[in-house]
Amino acid sequence: MEMSEPAANPAATSFPAPTISLPLGLEVLRTYSGALVCLEIFFGGLVWILVASSNVPVPLLQGWVMFVSLTTFFLSSVYLTVLITGLADRINTNWNFLDAFYHFVALLFYFAAFVLEAATTAANGGAYIKTLPNSTEPVMCITYPRGNIFTVLNEKQYSINVVATIFAFVVTLCYGGSMVMGFKRWRMQPGT
């Protein structure tokens, strides 16, 4: 009797090899996509720190900003770690699609966070807190509220929120650039 080869396990052959166009290891940092992910992490972390340091004076609006900045900071850090460590080669998925999809969702979320942070900052117009002469009690002075949303930020909170708004815009641009490059990589891969 002759020994025959065992039948191939269909479960082991049904998954395609991972699809990724970015280099793995530290070489990913030499690409535009790798540099943008680093900028997303850096500026996203600054947005998170700045909004938190302003003591979140308007939690209804800035709660979303904190959620988005913290979540995308964590997810982008994990994504970059997976690329640098080379784990992307061991996880069978279409990394090009995952990259484009993640950056699309992050762009939408961060754009909303940017708009809410800008609204929080802009809604402060006309209000300030000062101490009246011959008094020790602070008094809120309202010159003329603009719009339907009105916030009261002290000078420090206002300044911090202006900088956080600028950085949120920068992060939004970074996620937009990453999304465009990820979409191009996904569309250029064979079979799509």
Side-chain angles (χ1 to χ4, degrees):
M1 253 207 294
E2 210 173 295
M3 302 276 303
S4 64
E5 291 288 322
N9 183 355
T13 59
S14 63
F15 293 108
T19 306
I20 187 161
S21 300
L22 286 171
L24 299 177
L26 292 176
E27 288 298 313
V28 74
L29 299 176
R30 293 183 179 196
T31 66
Y32 289 120
S33 292
L36 279 175
V37 171
C38 290
L39 290 174
E40 293 162 9
I41 293 168
F42 178 73
F43 287 116
L46 284 177
V47 170
W48 170 30
I49 291 167
L50 287 168
V51 173
S53 70
S54 73
N55 296 324
V56 191
V58 188
L60 184 63
L61 299 177
Q62 291 182 307
W64 178 254
V65 178
M66 288 293 292
F67 168 74
V68 168
S69 61
L70 181 60
T71 303
T72 55
F73 176 85
F74 175 73
L75 291 176
S76 292
S77 298
V78 168
Y79 178 65
L80 188 61
T81 302
V82 165
L83 292 176
I84 289 176
T85 59
L87 288 174
D89 228 5
R90 297 180 184 182
I91 301 171
N92 290 331
T93 190
N94 186 340
W95 285 98
N96 293 328
F97 172 77
L98 193 63
D99 179 40
F101 181 75
Y102 165 68
H103 282 102
F104 173 73
V105 172
L107 172 66
L108 290 180
F109 279 22
Y110 236 107
F111 182 74
F114 158 69
V115 168
L116 290 175
E117 184 62 25
T120 301
T121 306
N124 187 56
Y128 57 94
I129 299 173
K130 72 175 194 175
T131 305
L132 293 177
N134 302 325
S135 174
T136 59
E137 296 293 318
V139 176
M140 180 173 71
C141 302
I142 303 173
T143 55
Y144 181 70
R146 296 179 288 183
N148 296 330
I149 300 173
F150 186 73
T151 61
V152 178
L153 307 173
N154 63 32
E155 192 174 322
K156 180 181 176 188
Q157 289 172 326
Y158 179 76
S159 299
I160 289 171
N161 279 291
V162 167
V163 175
T165 302
I166 292 168
F167 287 152
F169 180 71
V170 170
V171 175
T172 303
L173 291 178
C174 289
Y175 277 111
S178 289
M179 183 204 63
V180 168
M181 285 190 278
F183 183 74
K184 285 182 180 179
R185 278 192 305 276
W186 175 59
R187 295 303 298 160
M188 290 174 51
Q189 75 185 18
T192 57

